[in-house]
Amino acid sequence: MLYKEYIKVEEDFIPVFSFASDKSHPERWKSFYPHESFKNILTLTVETLEKASAAKDRPIWINGSYGTGKTFASFVIKHIFEDDFSEVEKYFRHHEMDSLIPRVAALRDKGKILVVHQSSSSGINSQNKLFNAIIEAVKISLRDNGYTYTGAASILGKVLATLKDPDATFNFEAAFKKYRAQFLDYSSPREVIEDLETLDAQEKLDLLEVIADVAESESYNWSMSVNDVINWLRDVHTKNNLYAIFFIWDEFTEYFRNNFNNITGLQELAQRAPELNFYFFLITHGDSNQLITDDTLRKIIAARFKIASIELEKNTAFELMAQAFEIVPAQKSEWQKISSGLWEKVKRDAADFIATRDPTVKVDDLKNLLPIHPYATYLLKFIAQAVSSNQRTMFQFISEEADNNFFSFIQSHDCEAGSEIFLTADYLWDYFFHRDNSDLDEIFREVMGHYNTYSAFCNDSQRRALKVLLILFALQQKVFQSQEGSSALLRPSKKNISACFAGTSIENDISQCLDFFVERGIISALEESADVYYIMAT
C-alpha cells in the first residue's frame, strides 16, 4: 500500500492564506498559532493605537520570507479589532495572552477602528496612483462596513465630475479626439467615463493615469497633493465618528521596486499619521535594507515606521506542518506500527544526531512528520526561509499537488518496497531550486549552476548526494552572511551529509559519492578533527 492509504493532507488546510480564504472561512483566524514574533507585532499594533507616546504613535512595517504567515497574521489582527469581543477574548485566553485583553478592550471602547485590507501594489508606480489607491480602498472598506458617507470627492471623483461637465475647463471631448491613440479601446468619451465608474480598482487606476497624462499634455494638472489626501481622510474620519483607520497593505514589496528611492508621498503620510489616527501596516518580503538603497531615505523611513520581522521558530514551523497531516482513521493502528518502524531506522543516526547538536529541536516534532526524513524536516524551514517564492513555500511543499513535494511523494511511494521510503533533502532541491524563482540570490544561483555543470558526470546516487551537499554549502553561506552564527547542522560535512541519508537505500554509498566528487574536482575537501568539510570548487 502506498503512503497515501495511511496518511493524507488535511482537506481544509490552507497553505497560503488570502482574502478569499478569510471570506470563505471567517472562523479560521482562530486556528492561527500566535508565535513570539506575532505577539511582538500585535503588541506594536496595540501600542500604536493607544498613542501612549510619540515613539509608539507610529505606523508599522513588517517583513518576512514567503510562507511565514504574514498575510494570515494580518487577517488575525483585522479580526481582533472587528469581531465580537467575546470571541477575541476567548482566543487570547486560549493562547495565554491575557495581558492584552484589557488593552484591546479599552481601544475598542474608544470608538470604531476601521480596518482596511489591501493586497498588491504592483500597479502603484506614481504618487498619484498611491494616493488614489489609498482613497479607493478606504471607500470600499467604509461601504463594506455599512458606512454611507465616503468622503469628499477624491481625484477619481474630481475627474469624473470634470469629464461629465460640458462647461469644464478641461474639454475631454476635444482631448479624446486629439489623443485618439491613447484610447484605442474606446469608440467615444462616454465609454471612457463608463469604465471609470465600473472597472475594478486596479484598472480604474490605469485608466485614470492615461487620462491624467492627456490632461497634463493639455496643461491641465489633476495631481493630488498630500494635503488633499490628508483632508479627505480627516473628513471621512470625522463624519463617520471613527477612532482610527488602520490600513493593512499586504504585498507592498512591489511599491518600493516601482518607486525606486522616490517615496515622498508615503513617508509624508506616515509622518502625519498621528494627527489623523491613520496608520499604515505595510507587509513586504524584504526589509528596508533590501528595498531602499538610499541611506538618507532609509533613515527617514526608519524614523517614520516601527519596523519588525515575522518569522517562525523551527518548532513552531514543525508543529504547523504537522497540522496538515491527517491519518486515515481506518488505518490508524497500522500506521502507528509503520511509523514506529520508520522511526527506528532514523532515530539514532538522524533525529538524535540533530537534537544533540541543536537542543531547541524536539525529536517528537521530527517523528510526527514521517515519512519526511528528519534531516529534510530540519532543513525545510531554513530552505523555505531562504529560497521560497510566492509559488513555493514550506506549506505548499506539504500540501499542494506538485512534483517533488510531500503530496506527490505519498502518492507514489510505500514503506516496504525496499527502495526509497523517506522523503530526503534532495527532494527539497527539486522543489525549491528552479530558475523561474526571481527571489533566488547569487549564492543559490551559483550552486544551481555548479550542479548543472557536473550532474551529467554523476549517477543517480551521486546526484542526490551532490544536491544535499550544495544545499548545505549555500545555507551555510547565507547564515554566515546574515551574521546569525553558523549552525553546526548546516555545515557541508561528511557527518551531516551522511545523516541526511541515514536509514535510506543509499546510506552506505555516501562516503564513496563524496570521494568521487573530490577526485573529479567537483568539490574540495578539508580534513577536520574526526570529520571532513567540503567546499564548492571554482
Side-chain angles (χ1 to χ4, degrees):
M1 293 174 67
L2 299 173
Y3 277 121
K4 68 176 183 179
E5 306 298 335
Y6 301 101
I7 187 169
K8 297 182 181 296
V9 177
E10 188 181 43
E11 288 185 9
D12 290 338
F13 183 75
I14 302 174
V16 180
F17 208 79
S18 65
F19 178 81
S21 306
D22 188 66
K23 189 172 183 179
S24 59
H25 300 86
E27 301 294 313
R28 183 58 62 89
W29 71 272
K30 298 172 188 175
S31 69
F32 181 86
Y33 176 75
H35 45 79
E36 287 306 310
S37 61
F38 172 78
K39 289 179 181 178
N40 175 55
I41 289 165
L42 179 56
T43 300
L44 290 177
T45 301
V46 171
E47 289 175 348
T48 289
L49 293 169
E50 286 174 335
K51 302 173 71 69
S53 68
K56 294 177 180 178
D57 189 15
R58 288 184 290 161
I60 300 164
W61 175 2
I62 71 168
N63 61 80
S65 305
Y66 289 101
T68 49
K70 300 184 297 298
T71 300
F72 199 174
S74 71
F75 275 102
V76 173
I77 291 174
K78 184 176 188 291
H79 283 282
I80 285 172
F81 290 107
E82 288 185 340
D83 283 23
D84 186 286
F85 189 70
S86 63
E87 295 302 308
V88 176
E89 185 174 3
K90 288 177 187 176
Y91 178 79
F92 283 162
R93 292 196 187 283
H94 178 70
H95 293 290
E96 300 180 349
M97 299 164 64
D98 297 39
S99 62
L100 284 173
I101 294 173
R103 296 175 69 182
V104 173
L107 281 174
R108 295 184 54 159
D109 286 343
K110 290 178 182 288
K112 174 68 177 179
I113 300 171
L114 182 73
V115 183
V116 182
H117 202 290
Q118 175 86 341
S119 183
S120 179
S121 60
S122 59
I124 312 298
N125 54 15
S126 69
Q127 186 164 282
N128 270 343
K129 281 194 174 184
L130 173 71
F131 292 161
N132 281 283
I134 292 169
I135 288 172
E136 291 306 308
V138 172
K139 288 168 71 173
I140 290 170
S141 185
L142 285 168
R143 294 190 190 101
D144 289 346
N145 283 275
Y147 293 93
T148 56
Y149 182 73
T150 56
S154 65
I155 184 65
L156 179 58
K158 290 178 182 178
V159 170
L160 279 169
T162 301
L163 299 189
K164 291 178 178 180
D165 183 1
D167 299 321
T169 305
F170 177 57
N171 187 337
F172 183 52
E173 188 92 25
F176 181 85
K177 295 176 182 178
K178 184 176 179 179
Y179 299 94
R180 192 69 183 82
Q182 301 279 50
F183 301 101
L184 293 177
D185 293 334
Y186 300 94
S187 60
S188 69
R190 181 68 243 172
E191 289 185 5
V192 177
I193 294 171
E194 288 174 356
D195 265 8
L196 270 183
E197 293 176 322
T198 59
L199 288 174
D200 65 30
Q202 184 57 57
E203 291 175 314
K204 279 183 183 179
L205 290 174
D206 292 336
L207 181 54
L208 189 62
E209 191 79 0
V210 173
I211 296 170
D213 289 343
V214 168
E216 187 175 344
S217 299
E218 291 293 288
S219 300
Y220 189 94
N221 189 3
W222 267 316
S223 294
M224 179 172 266
S225 68
V226 172
N227 282 333
D228 289 332
V229 182
I230 294 292
N231 291 335
W232 185 88
L233 289 169
R234 183 179 287 113
D235 186 31
V236 165
H237 186 282
T238 303
K239 297 287 178 57
N240 289 299
N241 196 28
L242 300 174
Y243 171 67
I245 300 174
F246 194 68
F247 198 114
I248 298 172
W249 202 325
D250 197 7
E251 303 288 348
F252 201 70
T253 309
E254 289 303 316
Y255 170 81
F256 290 106
R257 292 175 178 167
N258 292 340
N259 300 273
F260 186 65
N261 291 336
N262 182 25
I263 55 176
T264 304
L266 176 70
Q267 66 95 1
E268 287 184 359
L269 282 176
Q271 181 183 15
R272 298 185 65 177
E275 69 182 78
L276 295 169
N277 279 17
F278 170 81
Y279 300 102
F280 285 118
F281 184 90
L282 306 181
I283 305 173
T284 63
H285 300 303
D287 60 24
S288 59
N289 291 321
Q290 296 169 298
L291 298 175
I292 304 174
T293 57
D294 185 274
D295 290 339
T296 301
L297 190 55
R298 194 184 310 117
K299 290 176 182 176
I300 292 173
I301 287 294
R304 302 282 186 264
F305 286 85
K306 295 189 288 189
I307 301 175
S309 296
I310 186 167
E311 55 187 37
L312 296 177
E313 297 177 355
K314 288 189 290 291
N315 292 328
T316 301
F318 298 158
E319 290 168 5
L320 293 177
M321 284 191 288
Q323 288 181 9
F325 287 25
E326 181 181 359
I327 309 303
V328 177
Q331 301 292 343
K332 189 172 183 178
S333 60
E334 186 65 22
W335 173 248
Q336 289 176 340
K337 296 177 185 177
I338 292 170
S339 60
S340 295
L342 294 172
W343 187 239
E344 285 303 310
K345 294 178 182 292
V346 293
K347 182 180 183 303
R348 187 191 67 181
D349 294 333
D352 291 346
F353 179 89
I354 292 168
T356 300
R357 288 155 180 79
D358 187 346
T360 66
V361 174
K362 302 173 184 176
V363 292
D364 282 347
D365 287 337
L366 303 176
K367 183 177 182 180
N368 290 337
L369 289 168
L370 291 173
I372 303 177
H373 193 278
Y375 221 122
T377 295
Y378 185 80
L379 293 179
L380 177 56
K381 193 262 182 184
F382 292 99
I383 292 175
Q385 183 175 346
V387 187
S388 60
S389 65
N390 59 347
Q391 288 91 24
R392 300 185 184 220
T393 68
M394 175 169 55
F395 298 109
Q396 286 170 304
F397 176 81
I398 293 292
S399 61
E400 291 195 346
E401 295 186 30
D403 294 334
N404 304 309
N405 70 345
F406 175 77
F407 186 89
S408 66
F409 182 86
I410 62 174
Q411 305 301 309
S412 57
H413 288 72
D414 62 61
C415 57
E416 298 177 356
S419 55
E420 287 315 321
I421 58 176
F422 294 105
L423 187 159
T424 44
D426 49 298
Y427 276 80
L428 306 182
W429 173 288
D430 295 335
Y431 182 76
F432 286 103
F433 286 59
H434 56 104
R435 293 189 177 278
D436 295 336
N437 184 357
S438 60
D439 293 293
L440 283 174
D441 64 15
E442 184 179 351
I443 292 172
F444 288 103
R445 292 195 179 278
E446 187 176 355
V447 297
M448 285 175 63
H450 198 76
Y451 175 81
N452 292 335
T453 299
Y454 293 105
S455 61
F457 303 107
C458 303
N459 60 34
D460 184 61
S461 297
Q462 291 163 350
R463 280 190 286 271
R464 294 178 63 191
L466 183 58
K467 288 173 183 176
V468 172
L469 187 156
L470 293 175
I471 285 173
L472 293 172
F473 178 83
L475 288 176
Q476 190 198 36
Q477 301 303 306
K478 290 288 290 185
V479 170
F480 178 76
Q481 281 194 351
S482 63
Q483 299 179 340
E484 295 174 355
S486 179
S487 168
L489 291 165
L490 300 184
R491 303 184 78 235
S493 68
K494 177 176 283 190
K495 286 184 178 180
N496 286 348
I497 298 166
S498 297
C500 284
F501 292 99
T504 72
S505 63
I506 66 168
E507 64 177 329
N508 296 323
D509 301 331
I510 298 303
S511 181
Q512 291 178 328
C513 292
L514 297 172
D515 290 342
F516 171 81
F517 300 151
V518 175
E519 292 168 3
R520 285 297 187 100
I522 298 173
I523 58 173
S524 299
L526 299 175
E527 296 288 338
E528 294 185 338
S529 57
D531 205 352
V532 182
Y533 174 74
Y534 299 99
I535 59 175
M536 195 170 72
T538 58

